[in-house]
């Protein structure tokens, strides 16, 4: 039976992936960890411990003590924040990942690793429309450089030490449960919260900045599908492209207006605009579809309906508390 360690269980992806993995593998088999406390459902729905992935000694003890067989390493400094503290972000993103790869190399029981890459691995010289799996990769952000280096290390550990590492280049992820922090695609979450709370939003990207975005349930499904795929079907051991939607801020605005007619938007692009300008607008994920059946359920319409409904519920609950 699998025993799964999640690093970053309080984060945007971790808070939802933990719940899904507990459903699939049983609550007692999924060990949620973070450097900060998580939401109550994560902390009481199964084992939760405070753990700093930078502390390699505690990490290896944890893995041995709990007989861990799979690790999902989801902690990272995102693109916007990384530009503010480049060396610290590089240190955290790279060293945490190397700690995980080394644990997998040292502890035989650890059979599988998941580590997220990002569309940030691409750069201004990459074809921006329908960006292929294999293409020019010259990222110009610290976050993108760390993700590209990480992809190379994943493939290296697979080839050299036979570690079954799997990875996805996530697009911007849209979710209502836990907000992201410090990313360039965060606008696509903030816009929904602002629409419900304030009826207006000042967007830090221009109205026609198209970026690849994906609704969290589709991202969770893709992650689980990749991790459960037969190893022999996987031809990519760096990180797989996944596409999802290609959306502009003006399009989300127009969709929200269908539900909240008075919702207004203004545009004040900041430093994150120059990050977005180097990223793809849409992604070719045909290799992921071929190798492990990657597919999606949600479009802008269905996602918007759910986002607005769930955020309303969440904010009402907060008022009642
Ligand atoms: N959503 C991330 C960011 O904006 C991209 O991986 O930093």
């Amino acid at each position: 039976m699998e025993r799964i360690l999640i690093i970053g269980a309080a984060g945007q992806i971790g808070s939802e992936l933990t719940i899904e993995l507990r459903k699939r593998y049983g609550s007692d088999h999924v060990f949620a960890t973070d450097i900060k406390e998580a939401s109550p459902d994560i902390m009481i729905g199964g084992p939760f411990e405070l753990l700093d992935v930078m502390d390699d000694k505690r990490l290896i003890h944890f893995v041995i003590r709990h007989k861990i067989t799979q690790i999902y390493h989801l902690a990272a400094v995102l693109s916007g924040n990384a530009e503010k503290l480049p060396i610290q972000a590089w240190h955290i993103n790279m060293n945490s990942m190397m700690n995980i790869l080394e644990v997998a190399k040292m502890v035989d029981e650890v059979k599988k690793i998941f580590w997220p890459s990002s569309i940030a691995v691409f750069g201004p010289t990459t074809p921006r429309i329908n960006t292929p799996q294999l293409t020019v990769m010259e990222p110009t952000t610290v976050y993108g450089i760390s993700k590209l280096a990480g992809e190379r290390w994943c493939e290296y550990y697979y080839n050299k030490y036979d570690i079954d590492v799997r990875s996805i280049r996530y697009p911007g992820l849209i979710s209502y449960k836990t907000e992201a922090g410090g990313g360039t695609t965060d606008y696509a979450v903030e816009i929904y919260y602002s629409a419900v709370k304030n009826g207006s939003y000042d967007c830090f990207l221009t109205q026609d900045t198209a970026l690849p975005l994906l609704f969290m349930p589709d991202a969770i499904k893709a992650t689980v599908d990749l991790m459960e795929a037969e190893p022999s079907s996987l031809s990519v051991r760096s990180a797989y492209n996944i596409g999802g939607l290609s959306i502009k801020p003006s399009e989300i605005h127009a969709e929200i207006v269908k539900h909240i007619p008075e919702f207004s938007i203004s545009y004040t692009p900041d430093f994150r605009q120059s990050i977005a300008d180097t990223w793809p607008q849409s992604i070719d994920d045909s290799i992921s579809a071929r190798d492990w059946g990657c597919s999606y359920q949600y479009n802008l319409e269905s996602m918007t309906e759910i986002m607005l409904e769930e955020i309303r519920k969440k904010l009402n609950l907060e008022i009642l508390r």
Side-chain angles (χ1 to χ4, degrees):
M1 191 60 195
E2 300 295 341
R3 295 171 67 83
I4 300 173
L5 167 60
I6 302 190
I7 313 265
Q12 192 195 13
I13 302 172
S15 60
E16 306 217 18
L17 193 57
T18 302
I19 305 287
E20 180 59 29
L21 293 176
R22 281 181 177 159
K23 264 191 225 150
R24 280 171 184 258
Y25 292 92
S27 299
D28 294 347
H29 292 259
V30 179
F31 296 79
T33 70
D34 205 298
I35 48 169
K36 57 175 191 277
E37 298 206 330
S39 56
D41 55 343
I42 300 286
M43 291 184 53
I44 54 179
F48 176 87
E49 242 182 77
L50 291 175
L51 179 71
D52 183 355
V53 63
M54 301 299 283
D55 183 346
D56 54 342
K57 291 192 181 61
R58 256 208 82 205
L59 176 68
I60 194 161
H61 281 135
F62 190 101
V63 167
I64 293 169
R65 179 158 47 98
H66 294 292
K67 301 186 173 60
I68 297 298
T69 61
Q70 294 188 19
I71 305 176
Y72 287 72
H73 172 31
L74 307 172
V77 182
L78 294 185
S79 58
N81 279 351
E83 289 308 296
K84 294 179 194 155
L85 290 168
I87 300 301
Q88 288 87 336
W90 171 259
H91 174 70
I92 292 170
N93 288 356
M94 292 318 298
N95 291 10
S96 64
M97 169 186 197
M98 297 314 283
N99 285 349
I100 297 295
L101 292 175
E102 278 298 293
V103 164
K105 193 174 101 188
M106 286 187 281
V107 182
D108 281 349
E109 284 71 24
V110 178
K111 302 288 183 221
K112 246 190 235 179
I113 303 287
F114 180 80
W115 171 82
S117 185
S118 160
I119 52 162
V121 292
F122 301 116
T125 50
T126 304
R128 296 189 68 199
I129 314 275
N130 236 359
T131 303
Q133 174 71 41
L134 266 181
T135 184
V136 180
M137 295 167 93
E138 296 185 316
T140 49
T141 63
V142 176
Y143 178 69
I145 299 170
S146 75
K147 288 293 182 189
L148 180 55
E151 287 193 8
R152 299 287 82 221
W153 278 113
C154 287
E155 200 183 274
Y156 184 89
Y157 271 68
Y158 172 74
N159 288 330
K160 191 112 179 174
Y161 307 116
D162 209 16
I163 311 262
D164 188 354
V165 193
R166 304 181 183 196
S167 177
I168 279 173
R169 291 173 184 150
Y170 288 121
L173 298 178
I174 302 181
S175 65
Y176 52 82
K177 188 164 182 236
T178 309
E179 288 175 60
T184 300
T185 55
D186 291 10
Y187 93 83
V189 174
E190 288 174 9
I191 191 171
Y192 287 106
Y193 274 89
S194 274
V196 173
K197 273 196 219 168
N198 314 321
S200 64
Y201 179 59
D202 187 27
C203 185
F204 58 75
L205 300 181
T206 59
Q207 57 177 348
D208 41 42
T209 306
L211 284 169
L213 300 176
L214 188 64
F215 194 30
M216 189 60 86
D218 279 333
I220 298 295
K221 182 180 171 295
T223 309
V224 172
D225 286 351
L226 171 63
M227 287 298 273
E228 292 186 348
E230 279 304 315
S232 56
S233 64
L234 304 180
S235 62
V236 174
R237 288 298 182 157
S238 49
Y240 277 100
N241 272 12
I242 69 170
L245 312 163
S246 169
I247 305 180
K248 302 172 182 170
S250 58
E251 291 168 335
I252 305 189
H253 172 244
E255 195 56 40
I256 296 176
V257 163
K258 292 185 191 163
H259 302 263
I260 307 174
E262 64 283 7
F263 174 48
S264 67
I265 191 162
S266 52
Y267 297 95
T268 315
D270 68 12
F271 73 102
R272 287 167 285 191
Q273 181 66 44
S274 53
I275 298 178
D277 287 340
T278 71
W279 288 356
Q281 297 182 359
S282 58
I283 298 285
D284 172 6
D285 54 12
S286 50
I287 305 288
S288 302
R290 183 196 70 192
D291 284 7
W292 48 276
C294 177
S295 66
Y296 319 100
Q297 201 184 331
Y298 295 92
N299 57 20
L300 177 59
E301 260 177 25
S302 51
M303 175 176 73
T304 298
E305 227 167 84
I306 298 174
M307 283 296 285
L308 294 175
E309 194 185 315
E310 293 296 330
I311 291 171
R312 278 195 189 110
K313 272 194 224 157
K314 192 172 160 182
L315 296 178
N316 281 340
L317 279 182
E318 277 170 17
I319 292 167
L320 289 177
R321 232 179 250 151

